[in-house]
Amino acid sequence: MPDTADLLDSPDSPGFLVIGECVADIVRLPGAADQVHPGGSPANVAYGLSRLGRSSTLLTQLGPDDEGRLIADHLTSAGVVLRTDGSTTPTPTASVALDEAGRAAYTFDITWTLSPVAPERSPDHVHTGSIATVMEPGAATVLAAVESLRASATVSYDPNVRAALMGDHDGAVRRVERCVALSDVVKASDEDLDWLYPGQSPESVAARWLGSGGPALVLVTLGADGARAFTPGGRATVDAPATEVVDTVGAGDAFMSGTLHALAAHELLGATGRERLRAIDPATVTDVLRHAAASAALTVARAGANPPDEPELRAALAHA
């Protein structure tokens, strides 16, 4: 079983394509000036993967404005390769209000009109989710891209529910379940599941998704209560590492990038890894959860969507 660091510089290390939105998060704190942070769930995942030493390309839209330049500089500083469709629509923004516990509530100003863009090379793994998969007309482009790439790449998906943007509830559930069925790995928060399937337990939702013919691994984050993983062969649980929470912005995205980083280290991604992923053993599932939870814990300990780099994650795991 390879160590997480062993494959960082390997020529066989998978290439990641992330498809989805960039958003400028305008964080508002009582009695303080607004703070603008680069964000957007898919963009955060691409950034987190690059911070962990993975080859990451983001297919997205960025406006020719200050917010777009801020986000582009932020992403490329970590090594993310940016691909856009040439749209000149303004960069989306989200007003982020934090409560006393650092929990974030969002108000969005976003347009998503992504046009088809051919990748420069065929990726080994595709990640998508959030607004990009529910907001038309761009959502249709995202789903068409995933459908065309999944024969040669594994796929991960995070619904990252934003209730104000999901539209009709039944229609939103159908869109989410279509994405789930196209995916090998699905991650959702307990809050996502509460909105999508009110009154149903994470166990019942995970069983529903695992039975859809898509995912081999379903991950559910539970905030301070840790996270659970579900596979056809069983389940695993990990506690949330002890940390002082500054805010929760980007925590779920750091969990996702930590997950993909660990799965890549275990050679479970890409078309050649898909069957191994479907036979993932309990010890490996637990190791993946540990990496994901540690990545999220490091992120919530500092302001904004600021995921760890590989040495930080390695050190956190060594001291866990």
Side-chain angles (χ1 to χ4, degrees):
M1 182 183 298
D3 180 76
T4 304
D6 290 345
L7 301 179
L8 285 178
D9 299 317
S10 167
D12 296 324
S13 185
F16 290 89
L17 173 65
V18 181
I19 309 175
E21 74 275 2
C22 294
V23 179
D25 290 336
I26 305 170
V27 180
R28 297 200 160 104
L29 296 168
D34 290 351
Q35 301 174 25
V36 181
H37 297 287
S41 177
N44 291 342
V45 173
Y47 181 76
L49 285 167
S50 286
R51 290 269 292 164
L52 292 170
R54 298 294 175 183
S55 172
S56 173
T57 297
L58 176 65
L59 173 55
T60 191
Q61 291 182 307
L62 283 172
D65 45 34
D66 289 344
E67 292 81 6
R69 286 184 284 274
L70 171 72
I71 292 172
D73 289 346
H74 168 73
L75 292 169
T76 56
S77 72
V80 178
V81 176
L82 282 176
R83 299 291 309 281
T84 69
D85 66 353
S87 169
T88 58
T89 57
T91 301
T93 61
S95 297
V96 186
L98 301 175
D99 64 15
E100 296 80 2
R103 292 185 295 263
Y106 295 83
T107 303
F108 292 93
D109 182 3
I110 181 169
T111 300
W112 180 244
T113 60
L114 187 71
S115 300
V117 177
E120 291 184 340
R121 74 180 182 106
S122 181
D124 300 295
H125 185 84
V126 179
H127 173 76
T128 192
S130 193
I131 297 164
T133 57
V134 297
M135 180 173 282
E136 298 295 357
T141 300
V142 175
L143 291 182
V146 171
E147 288 174 337
S148 69
L149 292 167
R150 73 181 306 270
S152 59
T154 43
V155 177
S156 56
Y157 169 63
D158 176 4
N160 191 44
V161 169
R162 300 296 182 227
L165 301 175
M166 298 297 285
D168 168 71
H169 182 269
D170 290 345
V173 171
R174 286 193 295 272
R175 288 192 296 273
V176 167
E177 292 186 343
R178 181 181 176 192
C179 292
V180 168
L182 290 171
S183 302
D184 299 280
V185 179
V186 178
K187 173 248 150 191
S189 70
D190 53 350
E191 294 176 344
D192 293 336
L193 300 188
D194 286 344
W195 190 87
L196 290 165
Y197 305 101
Q200 296 190 34
S201 68
E203 290 81 4
S204 65
V205 177
R208 177 185 184 126
W209 286 356
L210 289 170
S212 69
L217 177 63
V218 173
L219 306 165
V220 179
T221 59
L222 305 167
D225 292 326
R228 299 177 191 171
F230 301 89
T231 71
R235 66 186 66 178
T237 302
V238 68
D239 293 331
T243 190
E244 184 174 340
V245 176
V246 173
D247 67 49
T248 62
V249 177
D253 305 322
F255 186 99
M256 189 77 247
S257 56
T259 294
L260 297 176
H261 176 60
L263 288 171
H266 288 289
E267 301 180 332
L268 299 175
L269 299 181
T272 60
R274 179 171 276 133
E275 289 307 311
R276 291 192 294 273
L277 178 61
R278 296 199 173 279
I280 190 170
D281 61 87
T284 302
V285 173
T286 300
D287 185 62
V288 170
L289 277 179
R290 287 180 62 250
H291 280 77
S295 181
L298 288 165
T299 302
V300 302
R302 48 205 189 195
N306 187 6
D309 60 20
E310 196 277 331
E312 288 176 315
L313 181 57
R314 187 199 301 268
L317 289 165
H319 291 91

